[in-house]
């Protein structure tokens, strides 16, 4: 089954008899506060109208998904602009009732985590979002030329001015976090990384330890264990993607066994295959957050429905193996 069928069949399948699901919550970082297990990723929302964005925000809030993930590069800032307009013109949405996180550091052709760029980026983000503060700021990608003292100085300005309340990173390895944390006074409470059933070297390199198999190659420096040890919340982006940016694995001919197993388990729980793929991530005891990437209200509900499902250990491993991973 091709990707086009994946989008039309799998994402629009009947979810359950329920319309409202119980949002699971986790503790963010080092006991900062509770947040939803499903964060609403806004990367693909830049082409929505203000009214469409407003409906999408309300659809998320009705399901308990009040954490919205943005970045200054999403739609060249348009995702933040449309979100901000839709939020600012709706008096029914209180700022304290939503949790806003955004990211900075990616520029055209290079990365920039200089103090000057971080401060300028946050001012732009706040202006586009029509808000006085971010709940969480993430450094989007590691900058090879980063000067951690510079980052620390920027974070101090942002924290002391009240423009940013908490800080984190995205796509960073443990030693990169350690280097930053040596100078940054505020705890880094989040690391947003790619993770899905097929793209799960975070798990595989620990499972295939002391083996000469592809999965045993540690691409991230034991990041999963590091984040658990240091109370850093892992946020999983692209939770339905195949390796090498090949697209969605749901319904893909490249993962027939995985899709077969997803469908069997989905039938058992009377939910969609999407819901089970999301439940696989939420089942891990690291208490990860899923960052959605959909612009569809119905698919958002399918993902949130995963909060009502706890896969058995056997089911979790069946899906892991069906994706082509090994058990030594």
């Amino acid at each position: 089954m091709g990707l086009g069928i994946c989008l039309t069949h799998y994402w629009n399948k009947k979810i359950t008899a329920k319309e409202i699901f119980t949002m699971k919550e986790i503790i963010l970082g080092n006991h900062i506060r509770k947040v939803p297990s499903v964060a609403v990723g806004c990367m693909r929302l830049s082409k929505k109208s203000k009214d469409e964005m407003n409906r999408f925000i309300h659809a998320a809030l009705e399901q308990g998904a009040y954490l919205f993930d943005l970045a200054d590069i999403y739609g060249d800032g348009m995702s933040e602009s449309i979100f901000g307009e839709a939020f600012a013109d709706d008096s029914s949405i209180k700022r304290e009732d939503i949790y806003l996180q955004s990211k900075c550091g990616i520029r055209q052709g290079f990365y920039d985590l200089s103090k000057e760029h971080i401060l300028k980026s946050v001012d732009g983000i706040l202006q586009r979002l029509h808000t006085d503060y971010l709940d969480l700021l993430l450094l989007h990608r590691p900058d090879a030329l980063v000067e951690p003292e510079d980052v620390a100085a920027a974070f101090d300005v942002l924290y002391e001015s009240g423009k940013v309340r908490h800080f984190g990173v995205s796509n960073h390895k443990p030693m990169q976090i350690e280097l930053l944390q040596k100078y940054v006074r505020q705890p880094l409470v989040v690391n947003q990384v790619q993770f899905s059933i097929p793209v799960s070297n975070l798990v595989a390199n620990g499972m295939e330890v002391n083996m000469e198999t592809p999965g045993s190659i540690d691409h991230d420096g034991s990041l999963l264990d590091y984040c658990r040890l240091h109370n850093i919340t892992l946020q999983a982006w692209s939770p339905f993607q195949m390796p090498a940016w090949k697209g969605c694995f749901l319904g893909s001919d490249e993962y027939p066994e995985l899709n077969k197993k997803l469908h069997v388990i989905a039938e058992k729980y009377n939910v969609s295959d999407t819901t089970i793929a999301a439940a696989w991530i939420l089942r891990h005891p690291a208490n990860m957050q899923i960052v959605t990437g959909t612009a569809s209200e119905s698919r958002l509900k399918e993902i949130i429905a995963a909060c009502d499902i706890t896969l058995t250990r056997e089911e979790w491993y069946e899906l892991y193996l069906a994706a082509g991973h090994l058990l030594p």
Side-chain angles (χ1 to χ4, degrees):
M1 187 180 292
L3 180 57
I5 299 178
C6 165
L7 298 178
T8 57
H9 174 71
Y10 281 87
W11 294 4
N12 292 324
K13 182 181 173 182
K14 181 180 178 182
I15 304 169
T16 68
K18 298 170 63 177
E19 290 296 328
I20 302 297
F21 306 98
T22 304
M23 173 61 73
K24 178 182 176 183
E25 290 188 314
I26 61 169
I27 300 296
L28 183 68
N30 189 18
H31 307 294
I32 290 175
R33 56 162 290 168
K34 287 185 177 180
V35 292
S37 291
V38 177
V40 182
C42 298
M43 184 176 70
R44 294 183 173 89
L45 304 184
S46 62
K47 295 184 179 180
K48 284 187 177 293
S49 68
K50 185 175 74 172
D51 288 342
E52 289 171 337
M53 181 70 85
N54 184 264
R55 287 196 297 271
F56 191 83
I57 293 172
H58 276 279
L61 294 176
E62 288 168 3
Q63 302 293 324
Y66 57 84
L67 192 158
F68 296 90
D69 171 75
L70 301 115
D72 58 0
I73 65 163
Y74 292 167
D76 290 328
M78 285 304 298
S79 288
E80 291 176 333
S81 294
I82 301 300
F83 186 98
E85 292 173 10
F87 158 67
D89 289 345
D90 188 344
S91 60
S92 71
I93 304 175
K94 307 300 183 185
R95 175 64 182 90
E96 60 269 22
D97 293 334
I98 62 174
Y99 195 95
L100 294 179
Q101 71 174 36
S102 193
K103 300 178 283 292
C104 71
I106 299 179
R107 301 183 68 176
Q108 187 65 41
F110 64 103
Y111 299 148
D112 189 350
L113 295 183
S114 65
K115 176 184 177 182
E116 178 183 17
H117 182 68
I118 292 173
L119 295 179
K120 182 179 179 180
S121 296
V122 171
D123 284 341
I125 291 168
L126 296 178
Q127 183 179 13
R128 289 188 291 274
L129 289 176
H130 294 267
T131 185
D132 296 328
Y133 69 94
L134 283 177
D135 294 285
L136 181 59
L137 174 70
L138 306 184
L139 302 179
H140 208 157
R141 285 279 179 180
D143 175 9
L145 303 181
V146 66
E147 298 179 52
E149 302 94 333
D150 228 20
V151 174
F155 281 9
D156 282 344
V157 171
L158 294 171
Y159 183 77
E160 291 165 7
S161 66
K163 292 181 179 180
V164 178
R165 295 188 171 180
H166 302 290
F167 300 87
V169 295
S170 180
N171 307 300
H172 278 58
K173 297 173 72 170
M175 289 302 100
Q176 292 169 327
I177 298 173
E178 285 285 314
L179 178 62
L180 288 171
Q181 200 68 82
K182 177 181 178 181
Y183 298 92
V184 172
R185 292 191 298 170
Q186 300 81 13
L188 300 174
V189 300
V190 160
N191 191 8
Q192 189 175 121
V193 297
Q194 186 175 10
F195 188 68
S196 67
I197 305 176
V199 185
S200 50
N201 183 257
L202 283 175
V203 171
N205 74 72
M207 297 285 289
E208 298 175 45
V209 64
N210 202 36
M211 302 284 291
E212 295 183 1
T213 53
S216 70
I217 299 172
D218 189 350
H219 295 288
D220 53 58
S222 298
L223 182 62
L224 177 60
D225 294 332
Y226 174 86
C227 287
R228 295 182 74 180
L229 284 167
H230 292 272
N231 296 312
I232 297 173
T233 297
L234 283 167
Q235 296 181 338
W237 61 265
S238 288
F240 309 108
Q241 290 294 306
M242 293 185 279
W245 310 97
K246 292 182 179 180
C248 171
F249 63 78
L250 294 170
S252 170
D253 293 334
E254 296 199 29
Y255 285 91
E257 293 302 317
L258 175 57
N259 280 289
K260 180 179 178 181
K261 182 58 65 174
L262 281 167
H263 190 67
V264 169
I265 298 175
E267 288 291 317
K268 171 187 172 182
Y269 289 97
N270 192 28
V271 295
S272 74
D273 300 22
T274 295
T275 301
I276 297 301
W280 186 87
I281 295 174
L282 296 182
R283 175 63 176 83
H284 196 281
N287 288 320
M288 303 179 194
Q289 278 183 304
I290 293 175
V291 180
T292 67
T294 182
S296 164
E297 294 174 21
S298 61
R299 187 165 187 248
L300 179 64
K301 288 183 178 181
E302 290 187 50
I303 298 169
I304 294 172
C307 294
D308 280 347
I309 294 173
T310 301
L311 296 177
T312 67
R313 188 179 296 265
E314 182 179 12
E315 289 166 343
W316 191 93
Y317 274 100
E318 286 177 347
L319 291 169
Y320 180 77
L321 292 173
H325 301 298
L326 302 176
L327 287 183

